[in-house]
Amino acid sequence: MLGDIIAGWLIYLILRMGRTEGRMGMDKGRAIKYASLWLLNPMVAAISTRGSSESLLAVMVLGLLWAVLKRRMWLAGGLLGLSVHFKIYPFIYGASIMWYLDDSRSWVGWKKRDFTPFDWIDRFMNPARKVLVGSSFITFMVLNGWMYSL
């Protein structure tokens, strides 16, 4: 149940994000209504009360989304590695996050005749993507090694 409360709080934070900086973001009342859809959902409550760990995974995935939106790549990579270690399906969010972290400036002046696969990889892997991939890989491998040693 605690995981569901934290997930609802993270939903609220993500929906409100940017409002104080003048960027897009929901007003307080609307964000509370949307977070309440999670908090007051009887299906969520039924799953949590039966001992399922899905609420913990929801907290990890929502924390990952919050960290990416705040550009805290080390934290985002750690949460991605932890959540993939916990259950495999959050791996698919990594592809969406990689595309979200696009740095369009790295493609300015790109000419087709200059294209080599190494150039493409070098331009695709901007610093934020490198940190995300590296930290998620390290977290995942450390957890795998630790669990294997047990």
Side-chain angles (χ1 to χ4, degrees):
M1 239 15 213
L2 180 62
D4 291 322
I5 294 169
I6 295 170
W9 177 69
L10 284 170
I11 291 170
Y12 173 77
L13 284 181
I14 291 167
L15 292 176
R16 291 278 297 159
M17 193 174 292
R19 187 70 173 188
T20 57
E21 292 93 24
R23 294 180 297 163
M24 298 297 286
M26 289 187 182
D27 59 75
K28 186 177 182 179
R30 191 171 181 193
I32 287 174
K33 287 178 186 176
Y34 280 109
S36 297
L37 288 175
W38 176 271
L39 291 169
L40 302 175
N41 188 340
M43 183 66 130
V44 171
I47 289 171
S48 291
T49 56
R50 294 187 179 161
S52 177
S53 62
E54 292 299 316
S55 64
L56 296 177
L57 189 63
V59 167
M60 287 185 255
V61 170
L62 287 168
L64 167 66
L65 178 60
W66 177 84
V68 167
L69 291 173
K70 286 287 193 178
R71 295 286 189 181
R72 297 183 179 167
M73 291 302 118
W74 285 101
L75 177 61
L79 286 170
L80 181 59
L82 178 64
S83 62
V84 169
H85 177 75
F86 198 72
K87 284 196 174 186
I88 192 70
Y89 74 82
F91 172 75
I92 197 67
Y93 301 132
S96 300
I97 292 168
M98 290 293 282
W99 289 113
Y100 174 77
L101 296 174
D102 185 32
D103 183 10
S104 300
R105 293 178 301 236
S106 66
W107 299 99
V108 173
W110 183 265
K111 295 181 182 163
K112 253 188 171 170
R113 67 177 181 266
D114 297 337
F115 178 78
T116 67
F118 296 110
D119 289 335
W120 188 85
I121 291 170
D122 184 49
R123 289 184 185 237
F124 181 76
M125 291 303 289
N126 62 23
R129 287 176 174 160
K130 289 176 185 175
V131 170
L132 179 74
V133 169
S135 60
S136 62
F137 179 76
I138 289 169
T139 303
F140 183 75
M141 293 309 290
V142 166
L143 289 171
N144 278 338
W146 182 37
M147 293 298 127
Y148 182 76
S149 70
L150 293 177

